[in-house]
């Protein structure tokens, strides 16, 4: 398992390569929750279009919750998987029953996380997004890029499930700012360098710290 000193070195290298992202909590947890549902299995642009249409068509989340599911589905169609997401959004809003989730800012982290994960269809990644982006709480959402890069870096053993990966990330960060930087920078690195099929290991700023990178580079040298 990785230790915090190693994660600090990884962060420093990523900051030098990609810059240092700044956490700006927006304090709107229900907005973040719905946005994260819309982000599933689509790109950021389609997610944002679907979310903007939802906010334009309805004046409040209560109105969304009271609307026919077909109307919500039609509104969010550009985001993909509209039938499934429309049902899920209405289920979540019904379960919240006008709770604005403001209490999750100061509640014990585990209590806030468990409450969110008990909502229909909400898992660790979605809960982490709500807590980190809304209030800057020290949670690291483990998406596809974070999981792939983290596995290659040896932050957790090969084959670790997502629940355990989230636990490891929680163990490795000290603050919301650090959690946000790690999340954003691992995503940037996963999109630009440590891609799924053809990672650019020779150009990687982490190649000396990455077990998978060292293995790939050694294999390339042997093949020359």
């Amino acid at each position: 398992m990785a230790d915090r000193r190693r994660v600090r070195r990884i962060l420093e290298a990523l900051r030098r390569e990609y810059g240092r992202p700044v956490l700006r909590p927006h304090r709107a947890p229900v907005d973040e929750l719905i946005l994260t549902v819309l982000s599933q299995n689509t790109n950021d642009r389609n997610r944002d279009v679907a979310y903007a249409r939802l906010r334009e068509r309805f004046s409040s989340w209560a109105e969304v919750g009271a609307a026919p599911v077909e109307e919500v589905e039609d509104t969010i169609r550009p985001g993909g998987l509209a039938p499934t997401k429309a049902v899920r959004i209405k289920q979540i809003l019904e379960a919240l029953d006008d709770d604005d989730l403001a209490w999750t800012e100061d509640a014990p982290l585990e209590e806030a996380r468990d409450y969110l994960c008990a909502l229909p269809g909400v898992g660790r990644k979605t809960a982490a997004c709500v807590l980190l982006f809304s209030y800057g709480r020290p949670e690291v959402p483990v998406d596809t890029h974070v999981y792939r890069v983290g596995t290659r870096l040896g932050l957790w053993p090969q084959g670790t499930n997502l629940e355990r990966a989230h636990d490891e990330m929680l163990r490795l960060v000290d603050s919301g700012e650090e959690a946000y930087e790690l999340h954003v920078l691992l995503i940037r690195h996963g999109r630009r360098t440590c891609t799924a099929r053809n990672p650019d290991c020779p150009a990687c700023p982490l190649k000396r710290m990455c077990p998978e990178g060292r293995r790939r580079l050694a294999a390339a040298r042997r093949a020359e």
Side-chain angles (χ1 to χ4, degrees):
M1 291 295 183
D3 60 29
R4 292 186 178 187
R5 287 179 298 178
R6 183 160 178 266
V7 169
R8 303 299 175 278
R9 294 196 299 271
I10 289 169
L11 260 178
E12 286 298 328
L14 292 175
R15 287 165 180 161
R16 289 192 297 269
E17 185 74 11
Y18 304 113
R20 190 166 187 171
V22 178
L23 173 63
R24 295 185 175 88
H26 55 64
R27 308 180 66 80
V30 178
D31 294 22
E32 186 64 43
L33 181 54
I34 302 305
L35 184 69
T36 306
V37 171
L38 290 172
S39 74
Q40 295 166 1
N41 299 106
T42 193
N43 57 43
D44 291 352
R45 180 187 177 280
N46 291 342
R47 173 204 64 193
D48 291 344
V49 169
Y51 182 79
R53 283 166 56 97
L54 199 61
R55 298 312 302 264
E56 288 168 4
R57 189 158 181 171
F58 301 100
S59 63
S60 66
W61 294 125
E63 190 175 329
V64 175
V69 68
E70 294 81 9
E71 187 176 356
V72 177
E73 178 183 333
D74 180 66
T75 304
I76 65 172
R77 197 170 305 282
L81 299 178
T84 301
K85 292 177 182 179
V87 171
R88 182 61 43 77
I89 287 168
K90 285 182 60 65
Q91 288 174 334
I92 288 172
L93 293 172
E94 180 179 355
L96 287 176
D97 192 25
D98 294 330
D99 181 356
D100 64 4
L101 296 176
W103 61 272
T104 60
E105 180 177 11
D106 300 312
L109 185 60
E110 186 174 358
E111 178 184 332
R113 183 199 311 123
D114 288 349
Y115 178 86
L116 291 168
C117 287
L119 294 170
V122 174
R124 283 291 295 274
K125 186 188 83 168
T126 298
C129 286
V130 172
L131 295 169
L132 176 62
F133 301 138
S134 300
Y135 293 121
R137 306 208 64 179
E139 282 273 19
V140 181
V142 179
D143 71 350
T144 301
H145 298 293
V146 172
Y147 183 79
R148 180 180 68 253
V149 177
T151 300
R152 287 173 175 171
L153 284 168
L155 299 185
W156 45 75
Q158 191 81 27
T160 294
N161 62 38
L162 287 172
E163 186 79 14
R164 181 70 182 278
H166 275 96
D167 289 340
E168 280 305 299
M169 282 300 197
L170 187 64
R171 181 180 68 84
L172 292 169
V173 299
D174 290 325
S175 66
E177 289 78 8
E178 193 172 78
Y180 180 75
E181 285 188 68
L182 191 59
H183 171 72
V184 172
L185 292 174
L186 287 175
I187 289 176
R188 288 180 186 173
H189 189 57
R191 287 174 172 169
R192 301 180 190 182
T193 304
C194 193
T195 54
R197 293 187 178 181
N198 297 299
D200 189 2
C201 294
C204 178
L206 304 177
K207 59 187 174 186
R208 294 184 179 179
M209 293 180 269
C210 179
E212 176 66 11
R214 292 197 300 268
R215 185 191 68 78
R216 287 173 179 262
L217 290 169
R221 286 194 295 270
R222 289 194 298 270
E224 289 175 354

